[in-house]
Amino acid sequence: MNAQLTKEFREIIRTWKILIVPIVFAFLAVGQPVTYKLMPLILKNAGNMPPGTVIEIPVPSAGEVMASVIRQLDVLGLFIIVMIVMGSIAGERVSGVAATVLSKPLRLGSYIVSKLIVYGILAIFSLFTSLILAGYYTGLLIGPVDWAAILAGGAIYAIYLVFAVALTIMFSTFMKSPLAAGGASLGVILLVNMTAPLFPFKNWLPPALGGYAGQLMAGSLSVNFQGAALLTLAITLGSIALGLEIFRRQEI
């Protein structure tokens, strides 16, 4: 297990994922407070406005800006994580790396769980790096931020990111095309997001965690998130167990 973890960490370092993903996350996150700060100036200097036009934009609170950071990451950040993870197993099967690795005395469980750990750490590291930078610039440009709420909201959303990693790894175990694995994972996430309002237990579904994280940062959390967090963790573990069973039954 330790040897496989070392291999996975070396892989994300060798391919620069350890730098690229946090940098992209940070760019997405920091863009929110900067945009809110500059938007009045941009609209004021817009060349197509009639003379005498007065535009009043309510100044958002620091918490609302941080909530918008979570919403940004909940779309583009999630997409990036899935795209990074989708070839974790499917790509190695195509290249023959999986067959080489598993020809050694290595358990399938160690092979799959090590990928969940490494890519989960990468996702969480990228998330908190971006939130800390966004919090710093929000405090600088908008107003004082509640760091406890930011870190707590980040912890809630981190559960959802790890769920996305596990779901993508599961699809990667039986789809030989990385694009197919990524597309299937994003398709399931999108389907659940679209259909969640139809279910009476929508507040327990994984996508609700993004909303809870944003509400916590904005200081308006009125619903307990523990149910959604526990269910998401259970689905995460179930996805890995299912992927392991599927992978065990297939020829590499």
Side-chain angles (χ1 to χ4, degrees):
M1 182 69 168
N2 290 337
Q4 184 62 23
L5 279 173
T6 301
K7 171 192 171 296
E8 296 297 336
F9 275 117
R10 285 177 177 171
E11 179 65 18
I12 65 171
I13 292 172
R14 183 186 66 82
T15 55
W16 296 95
K17 293 175 184 175
I18 192 68
L19 288 178
I20 293 173
V21 179
I23 288 173
V24 174
F25 265 59
F27 177 79
L28 294 173
V30 172
Q32 294 301 106
V34 172
T35 299
Y36 276 108
K37 183 66 176 180
L38 296 181
M39 186 58 69
L41 182 62
I42 293 173
L43 293 177
K44 180 180 179 180
N45 293 323
N48 57 350
M49 292 293 179
T53 300
V54 178
I55 301 176
E56 294 185 0
I57 301 177
V59 179
S61 67
E64 290 170 337
V65 173
M66 291 306 301
S68 74
V69 170
I70 286 292
R71 289 194 296 271
Q72 179 84 327
L73 296 179
D74 201 26
V75 179
L76 297 177
L78 192 67
F79 175 81
I80 292 165
I81 289 297
V82 171
M83 292 298 102
I84 289 293
V85 179
M86 67 183 187
S88 58
I89 295 177
E92 289 189 353
R93 293 178 67 183
V94 173
S95 65
V97 172
T100 302
V101 171
L102 294 174
S103 64
K104 301 175 182 179
L106 175 70
R107 292 184 178 181
L108 281 177
S110 298
Y111 177 67
I112 292 178
V113 171
S114 64
K115 291 185 179 296
L116 174 66
I117 293 173
V118 170
Y119 282 102
I121 289 174
L122 176 62
I124 293 172
F125 174 71
S126 301
L127 171 65
F128 278 96
T129 298
S130 63
L131 289 179
I132 290 171
L133 287 172
Y136 170 76
Y137 279 101
T138 298
L140 199 64
L141 300 174
I142 306 297
V145 298
D146 184 345
W147 283 106
I150 290 174
L151 296 177
I156 294 173
Y157 190 67
I159 297 173
Y160 187 51
L161 281 185
V162 174
F163 155 77
V165 170
L167 188 67
T168 308
I169 288 175
M170 183 197 73
F171 282 114
S172 190
T173 60
F174 65 90
M175 292 184 168
K176 294 185 178 181
S177 166
L179 285 176
S185 181
L186 288 172
V188 169
I189 292 172
L190 180 61
L191 180 64
V192 174
N193 272 279
M194 292 175 61
T195 59
L198 303 176
F199 298 99
F201 50 88
K202 61 184 179 180
N203 291 333
W204 285 58
L205 296 177
L209 291 177
Y212 291 144
Q215 290 172 32
L216 182 58
M217 291 183 184
S220 60
L221 182 61
S222 58
V223 181
N224 292 330
F225 63 86
Q226 290 87 345
L230 290 174
L231 180 59
T232 303
L233 287 172
I235 296 174
T236 298
L237 295 175
S239 298
I240 291 299
L242 179 60
L244 176 59
E245 184 60 27
I246 292 172
F247 200 43
R248 182 180 286 120
R249 293 172 180 269
Q250 291 190 68
E251 293 183 3
I252 299 172

